[in-house]
Amino acid sequence: MSKIVRMKDIAAMANVSMGTVDRVIHNRGRVSADAQKKVMDVLEQINYKPNLIARTLSSSRNYRVAALLPDAELDPFWRSSIQGIQQAHSEHSQFGITISYHFFDPYSGDSFRQQAHDALESGPDGILLAPTLRQEALDFAGICREQQIPLVCFNTYIHELAPLAFIGQDLHQSGRLAAELMTMIAAPGTILVTHIGEQVQNSAHIGAKETGFREFVREKGSSHFEVNTVQLESPSRSGFKASLAQALETHPHTKGIYVTTSKAYEIARSLEELGKTDIRLIGYDLIDENLTHLRNGTINLLINQNSDRQGFLGISYLTDLLVFQKPIPTLQYLPLSIVTRENLNSYITSQEVN
């Protein structure tokens, strides 16, 4: 099975109480022959040996995991990842998993290095990393290899990191998907690929998305669309709207804007203020700010990268590895979901149920 099976899961599968499962696993207390058989059948079905579960649940060993990722106060995209990590921790804490959080400024290499140092100082048995800053992540991965600390990465795939596992999206394919959508909804003209406050040369995820986007347009729509890249200032700076206005003045035939991060709402807000509401806008992720503009139509499409699932699986895989010594997938791509104003409510409802 691909996920940790908890005692309550075994109880539900066997249609007995958690107390009964506990007594069978630990071989203590009285259990009816029928209940004993039900639990043992489930344990055999899920491929776990009872003595392994008993040893794990009764062990006093704690496993420390350090989660190193950008600060959600500086980039709200990461709220969902943190929620996924917290959910996994809640489900796996019975196995002695503890998590320390180390949040870095996504725009500062110095901040990353300091938080990475603190993560290593915590004495982790495993590390979950969002490697958004390429060079700093490569240096950190080298230290992890030297110290033989298992490293699982999520969100941003960097081949040279060679982590034990990666969970996230195919960035290149993500860019191609965005281009296909844009060429379907935008009138012929200029499409701007916008990077907002990013160190593009050191942000692996940004470059891969743009490459995929340009590749698709070159193959499928080169006679109708011209793609230009625009680097905008950070939204926290007063010159953000002015830099967007300058880009639109430079490219007066702009019909669509592709935002390579979760900050499409910043573009949408500025387009409203500039009176440019006829420009099609595509961005990423179901953060609250984006949902507001998707509902009012200033954002046309959002591509959801399932960031909560990424965080959840990262901790689940490390639990599998550290606690159960189970092999974990080296590469786990998650689906890219297309969300519009029309399917948003049903999509959010299904996410909440799951």
Side-chain angles (χ1 to χ4, degrees):
M1 297 182 70
S2 62
K3 63 176 283 187
I4 293 292
V5 178
R6 302 160 297 177
M7 196 180 295
K8 71 176 184 179
D9 299 322
I10 298 171
M13 294 170 71
N15 195 27
V16 299
S17 69
M18 288 179 61
T20 297
V21 175
D22 179 75
R23 287 191 292 275
V24 171
I25 288 175
H26 293 92
N27 193 27
R28 63 189 178 204
R30 298 180 61 180
V31 179
S32 70
D34 181 56
Q36 173 93 14
K37 184 178 186 306
K38 287 181 178 179
V39 174
M40 294 302 291
D41 286 348
V42 169
L43 295 177
E44 182 177 352
Q45 174 188 340
I46 64 176
N47 241 358
Y48 282 130
K49 296 184 183 297
N51 63 337
L52 173 60
I53 296 178
R55 187 165 63 248
T56 301
L57 294 178
S58 63
S59 173
S60 61
R61 170 74 193 273
N62 288 323
Y63 299 89
R64 295 183 296 273
V65 173
L68 179 60
L69 67 159
D71 189 341
E73 293 298 317
L74 300 175
D75 186 345
F77 164 77
W78 298 99
R79 295 173 192 155
S80 181
S81 298
I82 295 168
Q83 290 169 357
I85 292 170
Q86 291 172 338
Q87 181 186 352
H89 184 214
S90 175
E91 295 193 13
H92 302 146
S93 59
Q94 62 180 307
F95 301 122
I97 296 292
T98 61
I99 300 177
S100 62
Y101 293 89
H102 307 272
F103 301 122
F104 60 88
D105 181 338
Y107 310 114
S108 169
D110 289 340
S111 175
F112 179 96
R113 285 185 287 271
Q114 179 60 57
Q115 293 302 316
H117 175 268
D118 292 346
L120 293 171
E121 286 293 300
S122 70
D125 298 293
I127 292 176
L128 179 63
L129 168 67
T132 56
L133 296 178
R134 178 184 178 84
Q135 189 54 56
E136 288 78 6
L138 287 171
D139 295 340
F140 179 68
I143 297 173
C144 290
R145 281 192 294 272
E146 290 174 4
Q147 298 188 14
Q148 297 184 325
I149 302 172
L151 177 66
V152 170
C153 293
F154 73 104
N155 184 260
T156 303
Y157 181 68
I158 302 176
H159 175 73
E160 294 85 351
L161 285 177
L164 289 177
F166 169 77
I167 307 110
Q169 64 283 339
D170 183 329
L171 295 166
H172 182 266
Q173 195 63 38
S174 175
R176 288 185 61 91
L177 173 61
E180 181 177 16
L181 294 171
M182 183 64 79
T183 56
M184 291 170 63
I185 66 173
T190 300
I191 300 173
L192 300 183
V193 177
T194 58
H195 306 309
I196 303 175
E198 297 283 344
Q199 301 174 16
V200 178
Q201 297 81 1
N202 200 30
S203 299
H205 57 301
I206 299 302
K209 287 177 179 178
E210 179 175 348
T211 298
F213 190 95
R214 286 181 171 276
E215 179 183 88
F216 183 92
V217 174
R218 185 171 60 252
E219 293 174 1
K220 308 291 185 179
S222 59
S223 62
H224 301 289
F225 299 96
E226 176 186 338
V227 178
N228 288 283
T229 301
V230 174
Q231 176 67 49
L232 300 177
E233 291 191 29
S234 171
S236 62
R237 298 182 178 179
S238 59
F240 173 76
K241 187 171 73 172
S243 65
L244 176 60
Q246 178 61 50
L248 295 176
E249 184 178 338
T250 303
H251 305 285
H253 303 295
T254 297
K255 303 299 182 182
I257 297 178
Y258 167 47
V259 186
T260 54
T261 66
S262 60
K263 295 184 175 62
Y265 66 92
E266 297 284 5
I267 299 286
R269 184 183 300 154
S270 293
L271 287 177
E272 284 184 305
E273 294 173 358
L274 293 168
K276 301 285 187 178
T277 56
D278 59 336
I279 295 175
R280 299 294 181 261
L281 183 59
I282 294 177
Y284 286 91
D285 301 304
L286 305 186
I287 63 175
D288 291 342
E289 295 88 341
N290 280 341
L291 297 185
T292 296
H293 289 278
L294 184 65
R295 288 190 175 99
N296 69 24
T298 48
I299 291 177
N300 299 96
L301 297 169
L302 288 172
I303 300 173
N304 185 37
Q305 302 176 100
N306 295 290
S307 58
D308 55 341
R309 186 66 177 163
Q310 293 177 27
F312 180 90
L313 288 178
I315 296 300
S316 298
Y317 287 171
L318 282 168
T319 302
D320 274 348
L321 178 71
L322 297 173
V323 179
F324 294 101
Q325 293 84 53
K326 289 177 59 178
I328 59 178
T330 56
L331 186 62
Q332 181 66 63
Y333 281 142
L334 299 182
L336 294 163
S337 306
I338 303 168
V339 183
T340 73
R341 180 167 54 178
E342 299 304 322
N343 72 345
L344 174 60
N345 289 337
S346 60
Y347 188 88
I348 291 178
T349 300
S350 67
Q351 292 289 90
E352 290 172 349
V353 170
N354 292 333

